[in-house]
Amino acid sequence: MKQVRKLRPGLRCDGHRKRQTGQRIRAVRAMGKTWFSRLFLFGNFGKKEEMMKKSTEKGNRILSVLLAFVMVICMMPAMAFAEETEGEPVAPPAAVDNEAVLQQVYEVLTEKMGGSGSDDWIAADIAEYERAYGKEAALTQTKIQQYINYVAEKGAQTKSAGDLSKYIIGLKALGYDGTKVVTVNQSQGTHLNLVERLAEIVTAGTGGSNSVYTLPYILIALNQDETYGTEELRSQVIERMLNQQLTDGGWGYGTTVDVDAVAPAILAMAPYYDTNEQVKEAIDKALEPEKVKSFMGETGAVVKYNAPNANATGMLLAAMAAVGKDVNDYAIDGKTLIDGLLALRSNEPDGFQYNNKWNLSATEQGFRGLLAVTLAEKQENKQYMIYDFHENGSKEAKATAGTAVTPPSEPTKGDDITVTVTVKTDTGIWLNEAPVTMKKTNAKVYHALLKALADANMSQRGADNGYVESITKDGVTLAAFDKGPNSGWLYKVNDTLPIIPLTVCNVEDGDKIVWYYTADYTKDPAASVVPSQPKGPAITLTDEKGMAIDGVVKTVYDAATGKLTITTTEEYQVKDVLVNGVSKGAVMVLTGLTGQDKVTVILEKLEKQDEKDVRNKKLIQGVQSTGITLKTVDTGKGYIQVEWTKEKGYKVDGYQVFRSVKKTSGFSKKAFFSKKSDGTQGSYKNTKGLKSGTRYYYKVRGYRIIDGKTYYTEWSNKAWWTAR
């Protein structure tokens, strides 16, 4: 994979004189408009229309004075009018020093990080700014630890591909490895592997991993380290993104192009821009000047919801910087995306606005875009990938507490449940199977512990933050580190060790909770593995006729990840797996499951080898002798559609379409388009990669997987059409 950039710390970039002059003129115009509007709309003259009616002569005098004032302003130094009234937007001043703006916003983001949904991206932006400019890390270790605690807690619970991706990116930006996360109830040497969980979700196609809004961040996350996933997995993600490109070159929701989908897609695929022909073609099509300009308004900023938008403008700038596009080639009446972004600046505090108010998300994304495009100008190839942290280190990310700042709400609904709580020190038992009764809905280990301790006149410290630091009985307190650097409290539920904080760990009727003190958690046998929660999905085993089968399948469920692994005996194989009645195919691993799901494993008995060989030989010969007829049936501007019909007799699993601009050669070894289908008829509408006036040739073949190997039908005839 080609790495785009890097920049030597400390380099600075002076603005181009033409751009400075243009900014100065635009700023003067903006100030003139602002003064004019204040005179007429906010002065003692009343409404503009009334004033114009009452006194045209007075209006003309005011205009004359104003024009004279503007002429004087034009001869003043650029920064003479850079300051704005408190609470007002900052009009783009002449000769804006982008790096000064970046420094100011960087300081604000450093202060603001902590406890917001933007922390992952703020961490990435801060890390990149500090790396590029040789700054010492400004984030305190406390804030970094808070972020690690947040990722460890949320990462252990989430089934979202998008969430896992941003956690991996944020950790890597700060120098931590997403494969080496240690939760508060987990031992050293055992890890919560966020990358592995992400790969499983993407492979299964769950957790939003097929969404065009999520796929870019999956690819960015996987590209943070060569060991994160496989090249095959990255290729699958890229293919999913390319397949969702719309006919006019963009990406979006349904058939509507959305810049919030376009910019991340380009940013994610940028590392492949110079090495992958399909990626380059897709990006160039999306960044055709007229298409980009269609997103922009008169200020130069991207317009969303009928108003200039710093968030979308920043993301588009970052995308264009990643592939080396010059913003001046996309200017509208001399105004670029940079001009539009700077017009949305705020000075209370420094940053960028959304809906005329300072906004953290707008500030973070605006900073991202301005940083990327500023650094890109310093590169010889004008390319700069803002999210490349593969050199930032791979430290273990160990949580020290949960993230709860307020206790979880008291359970007040549902049936009564009863659990028991035991508290063991390293020398004896302080509380032995004390019963606790509470409502089922939202009942956590947290609630059970606090109620049991209160009933026994005992107390604790730290539970609200997800980690019990100490427990006190009869005036004696036993706290973390009292018995050594690795000593502290851990808890089990039904003899297993959850890897999530007590504030989010659910309990059910009959659960046995044990809090115990260990002198060295790194040597604790129970803490040396990541255990499975005992209560998983309901699993039913049947044969093809729906008859129950026993003793031929082993299942292992991991509650922390929602992963179910299926293993069969030699006599049986999985034919299909149903989750809540929905077919998942002949899979051996499922992810994202909970105790509320119902899983049905349908098994088939394997044939004896000699019988199987005879049957397979017949199938293979039948598939390989099957013919296909292909024709072009529908064409129009920007597309060519082909349809095919397969001979009846032998089924196929799918079809592959190949394309060339030559009739007898030039067809790639890899299919141009593939689709799964067992029907005798099919079609493909080619909308990508077409050039008007070029004739394209197509051929099709079917495929079927037999005993793990792929076999193909005969080639179809060739069909062709000239693109319009």
Side-chain angles (χ1 to χ4, degrees):
M1 181 181 72
K2 179 175 179 181
Q3 299 295 335
V4 181
R5 66 170 206 248
K6 284 283 189 183
L7 173 75
R8 294 198 308 275
L11 290 179
R12 292 180 58 82
C13 175
D14 295 324
H16 298 296
R17 290 187 177 181
K18 287 184 178 180
R19 182 181 299 169
Q20 292 174 345
T21 303
Q23 289 171 333
R24 178 175 299 187
I25 292 170
R26 286 191 293 276
V28 170
R29 289 173 180 169
M31 173 161 278
K33 290 179 181 178
T34 302
W35 275 70
F36 190 89
S37 64
R38 287 176 180 172
L39 282 169
F40 280 97
L41 299 181
F42 299 103
N44 296 321
F45 302 101
K47 295 183 179 178
K48 177 180 176 182
E49 292 79 10
E50 294 175 1
M51 181 60 198
M52 293 294 287
K53 290 178 180 178
K54 289 182 179 180
S55 180
T56 302
E57 183 179 352
K58 183 182 287 187
N60 289 337
R61 288 201 302 269
I62 293 172
L63 270 175
S64 299
V65 173
L66 180 59
L67 289 171
F69 178 79
V70 171
M71 291 177 65
V72 174
I73 289 294
C74 288
M75 294 180 281
M76 293 175 63
M79 295 308 294
F81 49 83
E83 188 173 344
E84 265 286 358
T85 305
E86 183 176 355
E88 291 287 335
V90 178
V96 171
D97 185 345
N98 288 353
E99 291 178 329
V101 175
L102 289 171
Q103 172 66 29
Q104 294 162 358
V105 181
Y106 158 73
E107 292 172 359
V108 172
L109 290 176
T110 302
E111 178 185 344
K112 294 290 184 181
M113 180 173 168
S116 82
S118 300
D119 278 357
D120 312 276
W121 307 119
I122 293 175
D125 296 340
I126 289 174
E128 187 62 5
Y129 178 83
E130 291 173 345
R131 188 210 59 75
Y133 289 98
K135 300 275 186 181
E136 292 187 8
L139 287 178
T140 64
Q141 192 56 43
T142 298
K143 284 195 173 185
I144 293 174
Q145 188 60 61
Q146 286 174 348
Y147 177 68
I148 292 173
N149 293 346
Y150 170 82
V151 168
E153 179 179 320
K154 302 301 182 184
Q157 301 172 74
T158 187
K159 300 168 187 173
S160 163
D163 287 347
L164 287 168
S165 298
K166 69 179 183 179
Y167 299 156
I168 293 166
I169 296 167
L171 285 174
K172 192 64 173 174
L174 295 173
Y176 293 89
D177 192 339
T179 69
K180 301 176 183 176
V181 179
V182 182
T183 68
V184 293
N185 209 46
Q186 192 174 357
S187 78
Q188 186 176 355
T190 59
H191 300 109
L192 172 65
N193 190 330
L194 301 181
V195 177
E196 185 179 80
R197 293 194 63 200
L198 176 61
E200 290 172 351
I201 289 173
V202 173
T203 301
T206 59
S209 60
N210 287 319
S211 167
V212 72
Y213 292 93
T214 304
L215 285 165
Y217 299 105
I218 294 172
L219 186 59
I220 292 171
L222 294 175
N223 277 335
Q224 295 309 312
D225 194 281
E226 292 179 359
T227 65
Y228 286 5
T230 63
E231 283 303 318
E232 182 182 1
L233 184 62
R234 294 184 183 93
S235 296
Q236 288 177 11
V237 175
I238 292 172
E239 186 177 1
R240 291 183 195 179
M241 293 170 65
L242 292 176
N243 287 341
Q244 293 188 58
Q245 189 172 26
L246 302 175
T247 55
D248 63 354
W251 287 268
Y253 183 77
T255 59
T256 303
V257 174
D258 182 1
V259 67
D260 287 339
V262 173
I266 294 169
L267 185 61
M269 293 191 290
Y272 305 89
Y273 182 69
D274 295 326
T275 59
N276 186 311
E277 229 174 272
Q278 284 184 299
V279 167
K280 187 177 191 309
E281 184 179 343
I283 290 177
D284 286 344
K285 187 174 183 180
L287 287 180
E288 289 176 0
E290 292 309 310
K291 291 175 183 175
V292 174
K293 290 179 183 179
S294 69
F295 298 139
M296 299 164 60
E298 61 182 14
T299 67
V302 172
V303 174
K304 292 275 291 183
Y305 313 114
N306 300 316
N309 187 282
N311 308 59
T313 305
M315 279 301 300
L316 189 55
L317 281 170
M320 296 175 71
V323 291
K325 299 296 183 181
D326 187 347
V327 296
N328 293 296
D329 294 338
Y330 301 84
I332 295 180
D333 295 332
K335 295 185 179 181
T336 69
L337 286 162
I338 297 176
D339 297 326
L341 179 63
L342 293 175
L344 292 166
R345 284 175 59 202
S346 166
N347 58 8
E348 283 294 329
D350 288 304
F352 297 97
Q353 301 179 40
Y354 175 77
N355 198 23
N356 296 320
K357 294 180 181 179
W358 183 91
N359 178 271
L360 180 58
S361 178
T363 295
E364 181 275 315
Q365 293 186 45
F367 177 85
R368 180 191 311 174
L370 187 60
L371 177 62
V373 76
T374 301
L375 296 178
E377 289 185 357
K378 302 172 188 291
Q379 309 306 305
E380 185 175 345
N381 62 0
K382 301 302 180 183
Q383 290 177 259
Y384 196 89
M385 176 59 181
I386 192 78
Y387 286 147
D388 179 7
F389 305 117
H390 71 283
E391 297 177 352
N392 284 26
S394 298
K395 294 179 287 187
E396 183 180 74
K398 183 171 184 356
T400 58
T403 60
V405 293
T406 57
S409 58
E410 194 70 20
T412 58
K413 297 181 180 179
D415 298 332
D416 284 345
I417 62 171
T418 300
V419 301
T420 62
V421 176
T422 297
V423 178
K424 294 181 179 179
T425 71
D426 57 330
T427 59
I429 296 176
W430 278 5
L431 189 64
N432 190 23
E433 295 190 353
V436 174
T437 299
M438 53 189 170
K439 296 296 184 182
K440 180 178 181 178
T441 304
N442 198 40
K444 313 289 184 188
V445 170
Y446 169 89
H447 300 116
L449 175 67
L450 264 60
K451 193 172 189 309
L453 293 182
D455 291 345
N457 293 318
M458 297 167 61
S459 62
Q460 57 75 37
R461 181 168 59 87
D464 287 356
N465 292 321
Y467 177 72
V468 173
E469 299 173 21
S470 67
I471 295 179
T472 301
K473 180 182 180 182
D474 298 333
V476 177
T477 298
L478 189 56
F481 312 124
D482 282 355
K483 301 292 180 76
N486 296 322
S487 62
W489 289 97
L490 297 173
Y491 78 95
K492 299 179 187 178
V493 178
N494 301 328
D495 292 325
T496 63
L497 196 78
I499 62 171
I500 53 180
L502 73 157
T503 48
V504 294
C505 186
N506 294 319
V507 292
E508 297 185 21
D509 190 42
D511 281 349
K512 294 183 178 181
I513 302 165
V514 177
W515 283 88
Y516 68 100
Y517 191 89
T518 177
D520 188 348
Y521 71 85
T522 66
K523 298 178 181 179
D524 188 315
S528 62
V529 295
V530 180
S532 300
Q533 293 278 13
K535 292 180 172 61
I539 301 172
T540 303
L541 309 177
T542 74
D543 63 12
E544 298 171 78
K545 298 179 180 179
M547 302 298 292
I549 300 177
D550 225 352
V552 298
V553 168
K554 178 182 177 182
T555 59
V556 177
Y557 175 66
D558 183 351
T561 62
K563 176 180 175 182
L564 178 70
T565 304
I566 303 168
T567 306
T568 65
T569 60
E570 293 180 356
E571 295 81 20
Y572 284 84
Q573 69 179 13
V574 175
K575 183 177 182 181
D576 196 8
V577 177
L578 307 179
V579 178
N580 301 321
V582 179
S583 173
K584 300 297 181 181
V587 297
M588 305 299 284
V589 176
L590 294 164
T591 58
L593 300 178
T594 70
Q596 306 300 315
D597 292 314
K598 295 181 180 180
V599 177
T600 301
V601 181
I602 302 174
L603 302 159
E604 61 181 352
K605 196 168 185 178
L606 296 173
E607 298 173 276
K608 292 181 180 179
Q609 192 59 43
D610 55 345
E611 296 174 349
K612 183 177 180 181
D613 289 345
V614 172
R615 185 177 67 87
N616 283 352
K617 185 177 180 180
K618 182 180 179 181
L619 283 175
I620 292 168
Q621 291 174 344
V623 169
Q624 290 177 334
S625 62
T626 297
I628 297 178
T629 302
L630 178 69
K631 61 180 178 179
T632 52
V633 295
D634 187 20
T635 62
K637 188 174 182 180
Y639 73 90
I640 299 174
Q641 183 163 319
V642 294
E643 288 186 356
W644 58 86
T645 302
K646 179 185 71 67
E647 291 179 348
K648 295 181 180 179
Y650 290 89
K651 291 183 178 180
V652 295
D653 295 322
Y655 296 91
Q656 295 178 335
V657 179
F658 293 75
R659 190 186 80 172
S660 175
V661 294
K662 299 178 181 179
K663 186 174 183 179
T664 58
S665 63
F667 291 94
S668 173
K669 292 182 179 180
K670 183 179 179 181
F672 184 75
F673 173 78
S674 296
K675 68 181 297 184
K676 291 183 178 181
S677 171
D678 59 0
T680 58
Q681 295 182 328
S683 65
Y684 169 59
K685 187 175 184 179
N686 182 192
T687 59
K688 65 180 182 180
L690 296 175
K691 294 182 180 179
S692 179
T694 300
R695 174 173 287 186
Y696 292 92
Y697 297 86
Y698 300 86
K699 62 180 182 179
V700 175
R701 67 181 179 184
Y703 67 88
R704 181 166 176 175
I705 300 172
I706 302 172
D707 201 20
K709 295 182 180 180
T710 304
Y711 298 88
Y712 300 96
T713 66
E714 294 180 344
W715 283 107
S716 72
N717 59 295
K718 295 185 181 72
W720 60 87
W721 199 269
T722 301
R724 289 189 283 168

